[in-house]
Amino acid sequence: MNTDKIDRVEAFLEKHKGNIEHCVMCPRACGVNREIEHGECREGWTPRISSANLHHGEEPPVSGTRGSGTIFFTGCNLHCMFCQNFPISQLHQATRTLDTDTLADTMLSLQNKGAHNINLVTPSHYVYQTVMAIGAALKKGLAIPIVYNTSGYDSLPVIRDLGGIVDVYLPDMKYAFDDIAGEYSGASNYPAVNRKALLEMYAQTGAELSLDGDGIAQKGLIVRHLVLPGNIVNSIAVLKWIAENLSPKIHLALMSQYFPADRAAGHPVIGRRLVHEEYDEVVEYADSLGFENGWFQELDAHGGC
Ligand code: SF4
């Protein structure tokens, strides 16, 4: 049993227990009682999920050969108008509501099915409840790495206290500019919040992705960036910031799979797919910065992240 991780879980739960009645768990800091009110994430206290499966479409050190034990939470603290998963994040299409013990048992069930890790997708608005479940699962034998698969709109105190609980961070870095963060995702402070969160993740993990003998990530940081059409300046600024403030040695997942989902359909800038000239420019710039670890998705590829 990982007693150090259990100790860190207990410290986290003690420190952040006020979120039950006054939720400031994410940067929205709504201050609502989650048991009786909804904040910006429009989700109550008890976690709801859309799926819990072995997933093979993540980055290779996450999916491995047997799959990543993906738990996909309903809702989101961002409101991205182009969300590629909008039925889950914004239409709140849940299949199950899971109390702590059931969520812990779901993690153990994924481990028993051979999952390489527990991959918490969009966990930021359920982080306290999820840490409760991790604690319960650890006591029952959960031994595989915990992956925190997030939009990157995370509270710094929360990320700081997830140190030693989360093994692999898988955050987005969506925006470098407040205006498009506000317009596209309803969070004009995303760049500032996201940069602080990623600096803390990097401080915990460093640039190296620690792999086991089968090439499965045990500890580290993988930063994802989805290239948006008409916003190459944004992508270039994001990559420049990562290279200058984290490291060009980090694992970078550059994604080209954008399509104008949901409210982005018909938008004058992002209401279309990416074109080759745009994506090639971003890839060339990433190469010029020296990024050599990670994955650059082929344009026209689908699925994955
Ligand atoms: S988790 Fe939800 S209720 Fe809590 S601060 Fe964030 S958006 Fe608001």
Side-chain angles (χ1 to χ4, degrees), residues 23-26 28-32 34 38-41 77 124-125:
C23 188
V24 291
M25 203 142 56
C26 87
R28 298 284 187 192
C30 303
V32 298
R34 289 283 294 277
H38 283 172
E40 288 270 348
C41 60
N77 63 353
S124 308
H125 56 298

